[in-house]
């Protein structure tokens, strides 16, 4: 049987031959933020389908490519388009790109997403620094045999999101005059949006925002020893807090705030 480590070796060997060198930061660009990859200098662009063992994305609006190069003076490997559990991928597949980032010696990952606001103080268009997460997806990417060379059997999730990175992001936001919310991100499997009852439950147990991604990737990042910064775009109020939910509104809001979102990420990256 091929181990995960063996698959990773094949993937990274291919990527290195294609021109990918040392990586400092992995970037996972969620809905609306993919454009950031177009700003990467001296870019090496790899289509997902050409990379051995790499999954292929099926969601409209999520291009499928990895872009390596320099952004804000840092060596980055950016995913333009991520993999979701609701697409039918296994949790291991969803998180494979994070394994690849770690295998290429990245020390940190920046994760972004679009999500619904649960906290009554949030407004669509707000950006939220993720301080912690709740895994309500009903699955965990680390279930199964643990490959000890990749990380520990029982990872500590006490500080999944790096506190000093959060402080840097807050400082950058303050300097920009940008109001940066913060809160706990709770992941549901999707693809249905939540029900109003589920949102009341989410709020009761401590969630500030809900979405369908990020949590698996952050679990694997922690398992791999990566430092994590997470930023969400609140694209809508969660179910029961506004009349109805639809994907068009999510896309519209990400388009509306993308300049602000991109500049927050770039300036924070420069300061990390
Ligand atoms: N729920 C789940 N995922 C989402 C939402 C939401 O309200 N908005 C954007 N992604």
């Amino acid at each position: 049987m091929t181990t995960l480590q063996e698959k990773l070796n094949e993937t990274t060997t291919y990527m290195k031959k294609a021109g990918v060198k040392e990586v400092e930061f992995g970037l996972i660009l969620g809905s609306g933020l993919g454009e950031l990859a177009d700003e990467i200098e001296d870019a090496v662009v790899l289509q997902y389908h050409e990379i051995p063992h790499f999954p292929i994305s099926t969601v409209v609006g999520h291009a499928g490519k990895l872009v390596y190069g320099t952004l804000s003076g840092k060596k980055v490997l950016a995913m333009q388009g991520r993999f979701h559990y609701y697409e039918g991928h296994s949790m291991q597949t969803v998180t494979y790109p994070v394994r690849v980032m770690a295998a290429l010696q990245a020390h940190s990952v920046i994760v972004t997403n679009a999500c619904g606001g649960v906290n009554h103080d949030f407004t669509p268009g707000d950006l939220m620094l993720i301080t912690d997460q709740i895994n309500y997806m009903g699955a965990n990417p680390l279930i199964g045999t643990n490959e000890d060379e990749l990380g520990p059997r029982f990872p500590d999730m006490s500080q999944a999101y790096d506190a000093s990175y959060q402080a840097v992001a807050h400082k950058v936001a303050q300097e920009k005059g940008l109001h940066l919310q913060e809160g706990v991100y709770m992941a549901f499997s999707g693809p249905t949006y939540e029900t109003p009852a589920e949102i009341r439950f989410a709020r009761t147990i401590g969630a500030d925002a809900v979405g369908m991604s990020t949590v698996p990737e952050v679990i694997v990042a922690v398992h791999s020893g990566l430092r994590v910064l997470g930023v969400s775009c609140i694209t809508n109020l969660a179910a029961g807090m506004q009349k109805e939910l639809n994907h068009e509104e999510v896309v519209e809001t990400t388009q509306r705030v993308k300049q602000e979102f991109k500049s927050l990420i770039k300036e924070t990256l420069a300061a990390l």
Side-chain angles (χ1 to χ4, degrees), residues 110-220:
I110 300 181
V111 290
T112 64
N113 60 51
C115 63
V118 171
N119 186 316
H120 288 295
D121 294 336
F122 292 178
T123 309
D126 281 352
L127 298 180
M128 182 191 89
L129 196 56
I130 308 176
T131 55
D132 202 351
Q133 68 182 27
I134 298 172
N135 180 8
Y136 196 65
M137 297 181 109
N140 187 304
L142 303 184
I143 289 175
T145 309
N146 189 59
E147 291 183 34
D148 294 336
E149 62 278 24
L150 296 177
R153 172 75 288 188
F154 301 110
D156 178 13
M157 296 293 289
S158 302
Q159 288 164 32
Y161 294 84
D162 191 281
S164 60
Y165 281 6
Q166 289 176 52
V168 171
H170 270 307
K171 186 161 176 284
V172 168
Q174 200 175 14
E175 282 163 8
K176 294 171 66 62
L178 176 101
H179 185 61
L180 183 59
Q181 306 279 16
E182 64 169 40
V184 174
Y185 176 94
M186 176 173 179
F188 287 74
S189 71
T192 46
Y193 289 115
E194 302 72 29
T195 63
E198 286 165 343
I199 294 305
R200 288 192 299 274
F201 164 68
R203 187 179 304 110
T204 302
I205 66 165
D208 296 291
V210 288
M212 307 174 192
S213 67
T214 303
V215 159
E217 289 118 313
V218 171
I219 289 172
V220 167

Side-chain angles (χ1 to χ4, degrees), residues 98-116:
V98 180
R99 295 280 180 210
V100 172
M101 290 166 182
L104 290 165
Q105 312 300 326
H107 56 67
S108 303
V109 63
I110 300 181
V111 290
T112 64
N113 60 51
C115 63

Side-chain angles (χ1 to χ4, degrees):
M1 200 186 77
T2 329
T3 64
L4 180 52
Q5 184 67 69
E6 283 163 350
K7 277 172 51 175
L8 286 166
N9 289 344
E10 286 175 19
T11 302
T12 56
T13 300
Y14 175 90
M15 291 173 70
K16 286 176 188 167
K17 276 199 194 125
V20 174
K21 301 200 174 63
E22 89 276 20
V23 176
E24 295 174 280
F25 289 85
L27 303 183
I28 302 179
L29 305 174
S31 311
L33 211 65
E35 275 183 29
L36 197 54
D38 300 331
E39 298 187 29
I40 294 173
E41 298 150 40
D42 305 319
V44 174
V45 180
L46 300 172
Q47 304 294 328
Y48 290 162
H49 63 79
E50 69 179 280
I51 309 171
H53 305 299
F54 223 79
I56 295 166
S57 152
T58 65
V59 187
V60 182
H62 287 263
K65 57 188 191 195
L66 269 182
V67 184
Y68 172 76
T70 306
L71 186 69
S72 303
K74 303 284 166 37
K75 292 291 176 197
V76 301
L77 181 67
M79 283 182 81
Q80 204 174 34
R82 62 145 58 84
F83 304 101
H84 300 87
Y85 190 49
Y86 64 72
E87 292 174 80
H89 298 299
S90 70
M91 279 281 170
Q92 284 75 20
T93 299
V94 167
T95 54
Y96 189 71
V98 180
R99 295 280 180 210
V100 172
M101 290 166 182
L104 290 165
Q105 312 300 326
H107 56 67
S108 303
V109 63
I110 300 181
V111 290
T112 64
N113 60 51
C115 63
V118 171
N119 186 316
H120 288 295
D121 294 336
F122 292 178
T123 309
D126 281 352
L127 298 180
M128 182 191 89
L129 196 56
I130 308 176
T131 55
D132 202 351
Q133 68 182 27
I134 298 172
N135 180 8
Y136 196 65
M137 297 181 109
N140 187 304
L142 303 184
I143 289 175
T145 309
N146 189 59
E147 291 183 34
D148 294 336
E149 62 278 24
L150 296 177
R153 172 75 288 188
F154 301 110
D156 178 13
M157 296 293 289
S158 302
Q159 288 164 32
Y161 294 84
D162 191 281
S164 60
Y165 281 6
Q166 289 176 52
V168 171
H170 270 307
K171 186 161 176 284
V172 168
Q174 200 175 14
E175 282 163 8
K176 294 171 66 62
L178 176 101
H179 185 61
L180 183 59
Q181 306 279 16
E182 64 169 40
V184 174
Y185 176 94
M186 176 173 179
F188 287 74
S189 71
T192 46
Y193 289 115
E194 302 72 29
T195 63
E198 286 165 343
I199 294 305
R200 288 192 299 274
F201 164 68
R203 187 179 304 110
T204 302
I205 66 165
D208 296 291
V210 288
M212 307 174 192
S213 67
T214 303
V215 159
E217 289 118 313
V218 171
I219 289 172
V220 167
V222 170
H223 185 244
S224 309
L226 302 180
R227 298 172 73 179
V228 179
L229 176 75
V231 185
S232 294
C233 173
I234 307 292
T235 55
N236 55 279
L237 299 181
M241 300 170 71
Q242 63 177 46
K243 193 157 163 275
E244 56 176 26
L245 268 61
N246 60 72
H247 185 60
E248 288 67 39
E249 183 188 9
V250 171
V251 174
E252 262 167 45
T253 310
T254 55
Q255 289 300 317
R256 177 161 65 80
V257 303
K258 70 181 176 192
Q259 295 307 338
E260 208 172 59
F261 202 173
K262 283 197 296 188
S263 74
L264 175 69
I265 298 296
K266 280 192 293 186
E267 289 170 41
T268 303
L269 181 60
L272 291 180

